[in-house]
Amino acid sequence: MARYWIGGGGDWNDTAHWSASSGGIGGETVPSSLDEVHIDPLSGAGTLTVNENIEVDRLLFEDQEVLFDCNSHNVSALSEVRIASSVASVNFGSGICTTPLFKVWGGGLGPSIINCETSTVVINSLGAGWLQFGQNINFYKVQ
């Protein structure tokens, strides 16, 4: 199922910020490992704070003004993490981001700030894992 972040800043666990459609009405369940998460232009401005370890199917950052802050919590995306170059800020902190595909692509109005300097990104796949970039990015550790 698709889940869309709405209403600007807030905590990941607050159902008022989760909608079934872009710019829709909140009150949907917090995303789980079955869900595709969209943080998009209709998400609003502010900081989305992740206050526990999370697991989703896909985590898609799509040209928005939301600052995504994981603090020190782990993020597991079972299919992929995709980050548009015009994303305002993605901060994985010192947590571990695990995914079979970690993709940063261009084409946006950028620049984005993607902070993985103190985190570990684990490209975890049964077959070949992918790490693709359309811009410069700094990592502390990639496994």
Side-chain angles (χ1 to χ4, degrees), residues 49-115:
T49 303
V50 176
N51 43 20
E52 65 180 27
N53 295 341
I54 61 171
E55 181 177 84
V56 298
D57 182 43
R58 288 182 163 80
L59 184 56
L60 309 172
F61 298 93
E62 306 163 327
D63 301 333
Q64 86 291 339
E65 298 178 28
V66 170
L67 308 177
F68 184 80
D69 189 357
C70 287
N71 296 306
S72 297
H73 296 96
N74 298 332
V75 174
S76 177
L78 302 177
S79 295
E80 68 179 316
V81 172
R82 242 189 302 164
I83 303 173
S85 67
S86 61
V87 167
S89 179
V90 175
N91 179 11
F92 289 109
S94 60
I96 297 172
C97 176
T98 305
T99 184
L101 172 62
F102 190 94
K103 184 174 184 180
V104 180
W105 81 95
L109 301 175
S112 26
I113 300 167
I114 302 167
N115 177 11

Side-chain angles (χ1 to χ4, degrees), residues 75 81 83 92-103 114-124 130-131 133 137-143:
V75 174
V81 172
I83 303 173
F92 289 109
S94 60
I96 297 172
C97 176
T98 305
T99 184
L101 172 62
F102 190 94
K103 184 174 184 180
I114 302 167
N115 177 11
C116 298
E117 292 180 7
T118 60
S119 63
T120 299
V121 174
V122 178
I123 309 300
N124 185 11
W130 291 93
L131 184 62
F133 300 107
I137 185 171
N138 294 319
F139 286 101
Y140 168 71
K141 186 175 183 181
V142 176
Q143 294 180 339

